[in-house]
Amino acid sequence: PAATEVKDFAIGAEDAKVKIVEYASFTCPHCARFHADNWAKLKADYIDTGKVRFEYHEVYFDRYGLWAAMTARCGGELRYFGIADMLFDKQQEWAASDNPAEVVENLKKLGRSAGMDDATLDACLKDGAQAEALVAHFEKNFKADGVEGTPTFFVNGTKHSNMGWDEFKAVIDAELAK
């Protein structure tokens, strides 16, 4: 069979002057914090206005993070960022268990709230070929881009580690001013 193709999801104008790539894990507390503090402002001020194209690169440090990504991808590109929002917003709720079966049930609850049924979610979560393809894709890009931790941002190709909103906004505005 053909290899499962993996694409990274992006939102914002394709011709935006600034392209941001974020490497993040759905189980990373720093990523959830960045998301809680900055995502709404980034989306409203830069993405929705056509200034920034934002691409999300998933990082899997653990199986929960992989399963969360498979859940987010299950809804297709249309629902991906909405589900990603929920995964970060409710990270403490769905990921806070040592019981993998409980985590899967929590992820399915999130998927159902995004309009998917159990059969669809089961099929996505049990897709071994997809899981292998995702891990291979992540490992290749993570290594090629020299990412060491999450969240890591590339703003027009320049690598930045986690930062507060004012600093992040200054980096974006400097690129827009070029």
Side-chain angles (χ1 to χ4, degrees):
T4 305
E5 191 198 346
V6 173
K7 65 179 263 194
D8 296 301
F9 293 114
I11 55 172
E14 290 196 28
D15 62 350
K17 188 168 182 182
V18 176
K19 182 177 180 200
I20 297 173
V21 172
E22 178 184 7
Y23 276 88
S25 164
F26 289 123
T27 54
C28 150
H30 296 292
C31 302
R33 168 69 31 229
F34 179 86
H35 191 85
D37 295 345
N38 305 312
W39 178 249
K41 293 180 274 201
L42 177 65
K43 193 167 175 332
D45 298 349
Y46 294 100
I47 298 170
D48 294 346
T49 56
K51 296 175 187 166
V52 165
R53 173 112 174 133
F54 180 91
E55 189 171 286
Y56 187 80
H57 288 220
E58 300 154 354
V59 172
Y60 320 119
F61 290 129
D62 48 50
R63 58 189 177 170
Y64 293 178
L66 174 61
W67 296 345
M70 291 172 79
T71 302
R73 288 171 169 276
C74 195
E77 195 158 12
L78 218 56
R79 293 189 183 134
Y80 180 82
F81 282 96
I83 295 171
D85 276 349
M86 289 194 288
L87 287 165
F88 282 128
D89 292 346
K90 300 180 184 301
Q91 186 184 80
Q92 293 300 310
E93 295 164 39
W94 69 262
S97 171
D98 294 331
N99 178 349
E102 197 177 313
V103 171
V104 167
E105 190 44 49
N106 291 341
L107 287 169
K108 284 165 73 173
K109 255 184 236 158
L110 279 176
R112 285 193 291 270
S113 69
M116 291 179 281
D117 61 28
D118 282 355
T120 303
L121 289 159
D122 282 336
C124 287
L125 287 165
K126 289 178 178 150
D127 186 343
Q130 169 80 348
E132 283 176 32
L134 287 170
V135 170
H137 181 75
F138 145 65
E139 287 173 343
K140 185 184 87 183
N141 289 319
F142 193 79
K143 200 169 176 178
D145 287 342
V147 176
E148 282 143 33
T150 56
T152 295
F153 301 91
F154 288 86
V155 180
N156 282 350
T158 303
K159 185 163 99 176
H160 298 273
S161 54
N162 196 10
M163 62 186 109
W165 175 248
D166 292 341
E167 196 182 338
F168 196 53
K169 183 176 170 19
V171 169
I172 297 168
D173 288 341
E175 285 300 314
L176 287 169
K178 284 184 181 174

